Amino acid sequence: MTDFPSSCGTLLEALRASNPLIQCITNDVSMNIAANVLLAAGASPAMVSAEEEAAEFARIAAAVTINIGTLWAADVPGMKGAAGAAKETGKPWVLDPVAHYATSFRRQAVSELLDLQPTIIRGNASEIMALAGLESRGQGVDSRDSSLAAETAAVDLARRFACVVGVTGEIDLVTDGRRRVWIEGGSALMPKVTALGCALTCLTGAFAAVAPGRPLEATVAAMTLFAVCGEDASHRAEGPGSFPPLFLDALAAIGPQRLESEARIRAE
């Protein structure tokens, strides 16, 4: 069994040593916070999404992340091109199926992206349940289900698509279809700040870039870093307005040893 607190610290150290270039095809709302989260953690973000260059850029990036939050028809070819190039070159890529259940347009786009075999799927509990074909209580981009309720769906998706699935909630869940890892921490303020989940998807890609062949450990490390730093920032924040800068400061300040000591991880 992996010593997850130790692997989280080791991967954070590796991330900062290598400063991986991460292609973030993300939604319009999240670009700024996603880029700042990656910079604070120690990675290098690149918001490259145009059809004309997305696939070419994916070949030089260390990992690709794709988020469908503000989806336009013109976005889909670039997303598919980048995911296809990542698959061809053996680069990890992460899919964030934001509110994919809301419209047939979103469902079709996600179906086409799933055909390109994401390394990791990262979503909230409602998104993961709906993606597995279960009924969820999601409304728009908001989850109304718990990660515990999404456990069966997450395991099923991981097995069906031979990938890792990360589910965010009050307690996060990561599974490869065989192992289950639960992560505690974070803050009730985090869902009140737009696009933090989207930023976590980009960060997951950064950790996957420095953990080749170990997407489970990479996803656990990204979610643990978010959980520990979110909890730290919440102690000093007065509300959702003051939380983001404190969270970025916490990401930049934390070291591997502290991450390991404050991680609350349960593996099954």
Side-chain angles (χ1 to χ4, degrees), residues 4-10 254-264:
F4 284 104
S6 177
S7 69
C8 290
T10 299
I254 195 168
Q257 290 184 337
R258 184 176 163 210
L259 178 60
E260 291 176 22
S261 67
E262 296 190 12
R264 288 185 280 153

Side-chain angles (χ1 to χ4, degrees), residues 36-234:
N36 283 337
V37 161
L38 286 187
L39 290 169
S44 178
M47 276 49 190
V48 178
S49 60
E51 178 184 1
E52 293 79 3
E53 62 175 351
E56 182 180 356
F57 195 88
R59 297 179 183 278
I60 65 171
V64 173
T65 67
I66 297 176
N67 173 302
I68 68 160
T70 51
L71 188 64
W72 297 82
D75 296 333
V76 177
M79 291 176 173
K80 292 170 63 178
K87 178 184 174 184
E88 289 171 10
T89 55
K91 308 282 181 69
W93 78 272
V94 185
L95 174 63
D96 190 339
V98 180
H100 65 89
Y101 46 76
T103 67
S104 58
F105 172 51
R106 287 174 177 273
R107 289 191 294 272
Q108 180 61 35
V110 166
S111 176
E112 293 173 11
L113 289 167
L114 286 171
D115 286 341
L116 295 168
Q117 300 176 316
T119 312
I120 300 163
I121 300 172
R122 206 289 316 163
N124 65 41
S126 294
E127 290 162 346
I128 296 303
M129 291 172 69
L131 197 60
L134 302 181
E135 185 175 348
S136 79
R137 298 187 299 153
Q139 176 175 293
V141 300
D142 297 324
S143 177
R144 294 186 172 184
D145 297 286
S146 70
S147 53
L148 181 61
E151 180 179 2
T152 299
V155 171
D156 175 64
L157 282 175
R159 291 174 178 170
R160 192 189 313 172
F161 293 104
C163 68
V164 165
V165 176
V167 187
T168 49
E170 289 188 14
I171 300 175
D172 296 336
L173 167 65
V174 182
T175 181
D176 59 3
R178 180 173 59 87
R179 293 171 289 177
R180 297 168 178 81
V181 184
W182 302 89
I183 303 154
E184 296 185 47
S187 165
L189 290 174
M190 296 177 86
K192 299 181 183 300
V193 177
T194 189
L196 280 185
C198 306
L200 175 56
T201 295
C202 296
L203 185 65
T204 301
F207 275 102
V210 298
R214 295 187 292 152
L216 182 83
E217 287 84 349
T219 307
V220 170
M223 290 188 170
T224 300
L225 183 60
F226 248 55
V228 171
C229 291
E231 191 166 19
D232 181 24
S234 71

Side-chain angles (χ1 to χ4, degrees), residues 8-29:
C8 290
T10 299
L11 290 178
L12 178 60
E13 192 170 26
L15 180 72
R16 289 175 172 164
S18 62
N19 186 227
L21 177 64
I22 309 303
Q23 183 175 5
C24 304
I25 302 179
T26 192
N27 66 71
D28 299 343
V29 178

Side-chain angles (χ1 to χ4, degrees), residues 238-254:
E238 296 181 2
S242 58
F243 181 86
L246 292 169
F247 179 61
L248 292 175
D249 286 348
L251 286 171
I254 195 168

